[in-house]
Amino acid sequence: MNRLFLFALAWLAVPFIASSQQDFSKVEIKAIHVAKNIYMLQGAGGNIGVSVGPDGVLIVDDQFAPLAEKISAALKELNPGKLKFVLNTHYHGDHTGGNAIFGREAPIIAHSNVRKQLGAERNPDKPGLPIITFDDSLHLRFNGEDIELMHVPPAHTDSDSVVYFTGANVIHFGDTFFSGRFPNIDLAGGGDVRGYIRNVANAIRKVPADAKLIPGHGPLSTLKELKEFHEMLLETSAIVQKAIDAGQTLEQIKAAGLPEKWKSWAVPTLNTSRWLDLLYNGLKPKK
């Protein structure tokens, strides 16, 4: 069993370990107004995007299953209307854990790879699977605006999509954007380091200058924070790539570390050592 495979298995286990060990009774769901009728919910797991209005409620991602009741209560405070749609930005459990609960109330929409990665091929009737899927893009008309779901090339996973609320000028990036922190890149789930960096560069060229950005993790952001994220990706990946080209081992790269300016980007769930792991395994030549 090779080293990369062991690393991938260890990383894939993290969300499930975190979910089983965390005391969700202490988690509070905080609602943040983003723009017009769009809100962001923060709790544990990925940020949730919310559209509220005369058509009811639409959510983007739904965190962990044990938080479903708290999330539902927060949604009711924003709008008493019915939940009409659940959109998934990708398949990870900290973004789709509530699918089995919220999927009973509203159809789940996601890229086709989300359905595959969640195990539809083994169990097509599994609760919480997306029932509406797309390959490239999908458009919804909801609460008075066009909502665009756009699949992006492999980055965080092979199932990533961004959601653009065109009327409110708000973009939910899912985990293709971690604001102010190192990102997870799921190499075993189709993620790609170089693809991740290309996608962020492409987003910077296309994102409206005044758009509000909901990252997968981190605070509500703007184009400024997205550019800072891109700078971090470019500089830290270049450091690791130069070390790989010089024949350095992962242990040597970790010993050298990263410049002081990037140390604040480490968080308990993804520290500098793990980020260097991801970069090394994602950038080194494949055997």
Side-chain angles (χ1 to χ4, degrees), residues 157-278:
T157 69
D158 64 0
S159 64
D160 301 316
S161 296
V162 299
V163 181
Y164 182 26
F165 297 92
T166 60
N169 197 22
V170 173
I171 304 173
H172 194 309
F173 274 84
D175 280 1
T176 62
F177 176 28
F178 284 59
S179 186
R181 61 186 68 188
F182 298 134
N184 170 30
I185 300 178
D186 185 352
L187 301 177
D192 183 276
V193 171
R194 294 182 180 89
Y196 199 119
I197 298 170
R198 284 194 298 269
N199 284 358
V200 174
N202 189 46
I204 288 171
R205 290 192 292 269
K206 294 181 177 180
V207 167
D210 57 347
K212 296 290 182 65
L213 311 183
I214 300 176
H217 298 266
L220 182 64
S221 299
T222 65
L223 187 58
K224 174 180 177 291
E225 287 76 29
L226 185 63
K227 288 180 177 178
E228 291 170 352
F229 182 60
H230 185 237
E231 180 187 358
M232 181 280 297
L233 292 172
L234 286 177
E235 184 171 326
T236 59
S237 64
I239 289 169
V240 174
Q241 185 65 68
K242 183 178 180 181
I244 291 172
D245 293 343
Q248 292 186 21
T249 65
L250 177 58
E251 289 71 23
Q252 289 173 318
I253 293 170
K254 286 185 175 183
L258 292 173
E260 184 70 28
K261 64 188 287 190
W262 303 122
K263 289 188 177 179
S264 65
W265 288 62
V267 294
T269 51
L270 208 153
N271 58 24
T272 300
S273 176
R274 186 174 291 280
W275 177 232
L276 290 172
D277 272 328
L278 287 167

Side-chain angles (χ1 to χ4, degrees), residues 110-113 116 133-138 150-152 160-161:
H111 185 262
S112 56
N113 283 345
K116 292 175 183 176
T133 61
F134 63 95
D135 291 328
D136 298 314
S137 64
L138 184 146
M150 297 164 284
H151 176 57
V152 297
D160 301 316
S161 296

